[in-house]
Amino acid sequence: MTADNLDEVAGYEAQAREFLAKGREYLAVGDLHQASEKGWGAAAHMAKAVASAQGWRYSRHGHFHRIMNQAQQLTGSDRLRYLHGRAEILHINYYDLKDELNAETIGNDIKDMAELIEILYPLTGLTSG
């Protein structure tokens, strides 16, 4: 991995964690649309980190599915299939009316995005500390 690529991967990974934190903040104040979008953003940016590290293309929304499928194969984690779906649900929430959203479900989905980040992290090539 080049220094530029490492910076890009680290940037996406950091953005994923920032979005996750923001999602929790929005959830705490009851802004369920923003909480959902930040949860989705956390998943999408972590997938971008993995794609960049692995040399995979990710330039549009449809690539998220491919990246998650490839990551599932590399990690062997069947859990990623479920987490992939929950990320998509968070994104879909944007199109729902506020009274159709459920704070408990969104909170659980945001927790799931934290798990998704941890499962994908080893594929980034980054080292903690």
Side-chain angles (χ1 to χ4, degrees):
M1 194 172 343
T2 67
D4 286 342
N5 188 289
L6 183 60
D7 287 344
E8 181 176 275
V9 171
Y12 282 131
E13 189 266 348
Q15 187 66 65
R17 292 185 189 276
E18 182 178 327
F19 280 149
L20 186 66
K22 290 289 186 186
R24 290 175 175 143
E25 290 173 17
Y26 281 118
L27 181 66
V29 297
D31 190 337
L32 302 182
H33 281 105
Q34 284 300 317
S36 293
E37 274 300 286
K38 296 305 184 249
W40 157 252
H45 276 76
M46 196 62 186
K48 286 183 176 203
V50 169
S52 182
Q54 297 293 324
W56 301 336
R57 186 172 163 205
Y58 189 150
S59 59
R60 58 186 175 86
H61 181 97
H63 290 154
F64 179 75
H65 304 291
R66 184 175 44 83
I67 298 306
M68 293 302 292
N69 289 335
Q70 289 173 293
Q72 191 276 326
Q73 289 175 353
L74 284 180
T75 64
S77 173
D78 287 334
R79 182 86 172 134
L80 274 180
R81 284 187 200 139
Y82 171 77
L83 298 172
H84 171 187
R86 296 318 301 170
E88 288 291 345
I89 294 296
L90 283 169
H91 188 46
I92 290 167
N93 285 346
Y94 176 80
Y95 301 98
D96 289 335
L97 294 171
K98 183 176 182 174
D99 63 353
E100 295 174 344
L101 300 177
N102 180 282
E104 183 178 355
T105 300
I106 292 168
N108 288 332
D109 288 344
I110 288 173
K111 287 177 191 172
D112 285 342
M113 295 309 98
E115 181 182 358
L116 179 141
I117 287 171
E118 296 311 317
I119 291 171
L120 293 180
Y121 185 81
L123 299 179
T124 66
L126 299 171
T127 56
S128 57

